[in-house]
Amino acid sequence: KVTKITEELCGVKFSKSTVSDICVELDARISAWKNRRFDDKKYPFIIVDALVTDVRRDHAVRSTGVLIAYGVNEKGYREILGLWLEDSETELGWTTVFKELKARGIKGVDLVVSDAHTGLVNALKKQFQGAQWQRCQTHFMRNILGSSPRHRRKEIAGKLKLIFTATDKETARKLSHELIADYEKTASKAMECLESGLENALTVLGLPERYRTRLRTTNLAERMNEEIRRREKVIRIFPNDDSAARLIGAILAEKHDEWQEGPRYLDMTEYWDFKMDEIENKTKVNNDTNVVSIAD
């Protein structure tokens, strides 16, 4: 394919051996990038997502999960932390991802944003204990509306948006209780879905307001998936795992470099002040508790 395209565009025909040599060099660069060390840098926010692509393996076309992790570092810049090819999006696959990120030196993870894939959430709880989980509000809304009667979806969607854009958790809970009371008979499955997943979808409301919009969904990852899909269409079926990792890795590495040279994704000043206040409040509570214990 490369030979045909370059001949049509440039009038130059590359031999298979030349293309192979280029691939070997590219593989080395991508491998170095996706296995790089983080040297104990802090990544307060991590966003994870997956897409499925077709790869030819064992004389058959297999659906293969491409697991991708994104991070916002302590200075507020986006980074693509790596990609992993797995047979499917399972707990074992995501455990591999999170273990490797920790082994490569990632520290200070406070919030992980993802869809509500059971295997992913289980792996997250085991590997990043203490980190909070934000359920993607976009996917959550789709889940709720997918369980709603067609003629009710528009009005329910409008009320869900009010819940997710509330200024605090108490307001969001109040609005959700009202929504559930109004539709528990006419859209019972949708209201059960809302009630069971609401708290994890409101985690972001515990952060300062300026950080909520960009961390309430996996939109950053979804936009990157679109970039990958646009180029993947040319291939349709990857001939092997290496070719999938090569193309997708090259796209991600290029975007990663672009983000490092571009503007900061988030100004982290207010966040670190927020964290300091949080630590001081915890310390004060612990000290007060110790004083009471001694007095008793």
Side-chain angles (χ1 to χ4, degrees):
K1 286 182 178 179
V2 172
T3 299
K4 184 178 179 181
I5 291 169
T6 53
E7 188 173 12
E8 290 179 359
L9 289 176
C10 311
V12 178
K13 186 174 182 178
F14 289 97
S15 67
K16 289 185 178 180
S17 61
T18 301
V19 174
S20 180
D21 290 342
I22 292 170
C23 287
V24 168
E25 183 180 346
L26 184 58
D27 285 346
R29 292 182 182 181
I30 293 171
S31 178
W33 169 76
K34 73 185 189 71
N35 294 309
R36 71 195 186 278
R37 295 281 308 171
F38 297 113
D39 298 324
D40 295 336
K41 282 172 61 180
K42 291 183 179 179
Y43 290 82
F45 311 130
I46 289 180
I47 300 168
V48 291
D49 198 16
L51 55 86
V52 177
T53 192
D54 290 330
V55 177
R56 197 175 298 281
R57 192 187 306 116
D58 299 328
H59 309 290
V61 177
R62 315 279 183 180
S63 292
T64 301
V66 183
L67 315 185
I68 308 173
Y70 305 83
V72 179
N73 64 33
E74 55 196 326
K75 295 181 179 179
Y77 286 92
R78 291 171 290 177
E79 293 189 29
I80 299 174
L81 305 176
L83 77 154
W84 295 260
L85 267 63
E86 299 288 340
D87 289 339
S88 59
E89 193 180 353
T90 62
E91 180 176 344
L92 179 60
W94 283 112
T95 296
T96 299
V97 171
F98 296 142
K99 277 186 174 181
E100 185 176 315
L101 289 176
K102 291 196 298 182
R104 287 162 56 197
I106 274 187
K107 300 291 184 184
V109 177
D110 292 333
L111 181 76
V112 179
V113 187
S114 76
D115 189 13
H117 190 286
T118 304
L120 190 161
V121 177
N122 288 341
L124 167 64
K125 288 178 179 179
K126 292 175 183 177
Q127 300 304 320
F128 283 116
Q129 295 179 8
Q132 297 186 85
W133 175 50
Q134 167 64 35
R135 180 173 182 172
C136 174
Q137 292 180 358
T138 299
H139 286 92
F140 186 38
M141 183 179 287
R142 288 175 191 162
N143 296 150
I144 297 168
L145 295 179
S147 301
S148 304
R150 287 184 178 274
H151 64 286
R152 298 287 189 187
R153 288 178 185 173
K154 187 174 181 180
E155 55 196 77
I156 291 175
K159 296 186 178 185
L160 286 173
K161 288 178 181 177
L162 293 177
I163 293 172
F164 295 144
T165 56
T167 55
D168 55 71
K169 289 185 180 181
E170 289 305 313
T171 302
R173 290 183 186 121
K174 180 182 177 182
L175 291 171
S176 67
H177 292 157
E178 292 173 357
L179 177 58
I180 291 170
D182 290 342
Y183 292 94
E184 60 184 347
K185 293 182 179 179
T186 57
S188 58
K189 288 185 178 179
M191 296 304 103
E192 287 174 10
C193 180
L194 170 61
E195 191 169 20
S196 64
L198 179 66
E199 288 303 315
N200 290 321
L202 299 181
T203 303
V204 76
L205 293 182
L207 299 179
E209 188 173 353
R210 71 183 304 162
Y211 302 101
R212 297 174 185 176
T213 300
R214 285 183 165 170
L215 295 174
R216 68 187 185 87
T217 70
T218 58
N219 283 356
L220 180 152
E222 294 292 336
R223 286 194 293 271
M224 200 63 232
N225 286 349
E226 291 175 6
E227 291 283 327
I228 294 169
R229 293 292 188 203
R230 188 160 57 87
R231 293 163 174 82
E232 181 199 37
K233 287 178 182 177
V234 179
I235 306 297
R236 291 183 295 179
I237 299 173
F238 287 102
N240 50 53
D241 285 347
D242 288 342
S243 64
R246 182 182 304 127
L247 177 68
I248 297 172
I251 295 166
L252 294 173
E254 182 181 17
K255 179 59 70 171
H256 173 87
D257 291 343
E258 182 183 312
W259 284 348
Q260 305 319 295
E261 297 171 359
R264 283 193 297 182
Y265 189 61
L266 292 170
D267 183 340
M268 298 296 287
T269 306
E270 186 177 345
Y271 181 75
W272 293 122
D273 289 341
F274 164 78
K275 290 294 291 183
M276 285 297 296
D277 289 342
E278 196 175 59
I279 292 170
E280 288 175 2
N281 289 335
K282 285 182 180 179
T283 302
K284 184 177 184 301
V285 169
N286 290 336
N287 289 340
D288 290 346
T289 302
N290 291 335
V291 169
V292 171
S293 298
I294 292 170
D296 290 343

